[in-house]
Amino acid sequence: MARITAGVGTSHVPLLGVAADSGKTGDDYFQPIFQGYEWTKDWEKEQCSDVIILVYNDHASAFDMNIIPTFAIGCGEFFKPADEGWGPRKVPDVEGHPDLAWHIAQSLILEEFDMTIINEMDVDHGLTVPLTMMYGAPQKWPVKVVPLAVNVVIYPVPAGNRCWALGEAIGRAVTSFPEDLNVQIWGTGGMSHQLQGPRAGLINQEWDNMFLDGLIGDSDALRHIPHIEYLRETGSEGIEMVMWLIMRGALGPKTRCLHRHYHVPCSNTAIGHIVLEPGDS
Ligand code: DHB
Ligand code: FE
């Protein structure tokens, strides 16, 4: 039987990919950011996970105004790093797990979550930066990845409650997969940030830490936060945090926190990171 062993939340700020690719992780500006991932890098080495269900959003790299899937699952064999304007990042291709991905797609669709099935798509910083933060710069990524792309770019985006429920259904899908697999689920994006307009640069440390607190333990209060609160309190791009609720929902009724990191600034944002295990504290 496959099982979800842990959940990871992390920002996916593109500047961190640039810093890693250009050897700047030890610079004064970046050191405190990358330092907060050292614990996780060591822990990930011990975990030897087989597959990551990596919840992220595409930033107009694979999708554009022509097609806007609300929830899309990558069922292909490989996914290439996207060209985001400066050529693709020189990181390894991402290897998929088509058998698990098709099983999850079937399970979710039969549970009435109408997933879009994607066989070919390039993956942008939303997916590759978290891999860099957790695994550094290997020749080949040490895990397979099932990409799960969420529309958080074009209104209307899915409600937090729907994201949490999708996570719960993903949990059931994974435990009904017959092969023994250690699976993690990652939720990426956030934390508070607004990249354009009069409120560009908005960061709300208090709210971000309330959100991190809310992921731990047995409360499901976060699933009921309305879009307008994300917008008002965390800026226009803070809505990316609904993707962390898919990760949280998949972990079941209770979680305990293994590691937590929060730092300001990182580009125009607050960077946040948490590692959770299902179960009692
Ligand atoms: C930036 C872009 C993102 O997609 C994000 O999640 C955070 C920051 C940026 O351009 O700085
Ligand atoms: Fe983003």
Side-chain angles (χ1 to χ4, degrees), residues 12-15 57 59 125 189-190 193 195 240 266-269:
H12 58 215
V13 183
L15 183 63
N57 68 291
H59 303 73
H125 68 267
H193 65 299
L195 300 176
E240 288 186 341
C266 177
S267 182
N268 286 317
T269 80

Side-chain angles (χ1 to χ4, degrees), residues 116-262:
T116 300
I117 293 167
I118 309 270
N119 286 312
E120 242 187 81
M121 100 180 137
D122 292 349
V123 287
D124 72 9
H125 68 267
L127 186 140
T128 63
V129 166
L131 287 172
T132 297
M133 301 312 284
M134 257 45 89
Y135 298 120
Q139 289 292 313
K140 178 179 184 294
W141 298 118
V143 285
K144 295 181 178 178
V145 174
V146 173
L148 203 149
V150 181
N151 170 42
V152 288
V153 173
I154 303 292
Y155 188 84
V157 308
N161 188 45
R162 187 65 174 160
C163 289
W164 190 296
L166 178 67
E168 291 172 326
I170 290 171
R172 291 188 288 274
V174 170
T175 49
S176 64
F177 189 68
E179 202 181 313
D180 275 337
L181 287 177
N182 280 349
V183 179
Q184 288 187 1
I185 183 162
W186 296 1
T188 77
M191 294 192 86
S192 53
H193 65 299
Q194 171 145 346
L195 300 176
Q196 71 282 304
R199 297 203 305 161
L202 181 146
I203 291 176
N204 187 341
Q205 305 198 30
E206 199 181 322
W207 198 96
D208 287 340
N209 278 291
M210 176 280 295
F211 187 85
L212 291 170
D213 290 342
L215 295 166
I216 304 163
D218 62 0
S219 166
D220 70 350
L222 295 183
R223 71 189 293 170
H224 303 298
I225 297 171
H227 284 155
I228 193 73
E229 182 174 334
Y230 287 99
L231 198 65
R232 188 181 61 235
E233 298 297 330
T234 74
S236 51
E237 276 76 43
I239 193 66
E240 288 186 341
M241 282 184 272
V242 294
M243 296 186 289
W244 295 41
L245 301 183
I246 299 177
M247 174 275 287
R248 174 63 192 83
L251 297 180
K254 264 192 185 172
T255 62
R256 63 173 161 266
C257 177
L258 300 181
H259 177 65
R260 177 170 169 166
H261 172 50
Y262 184 79

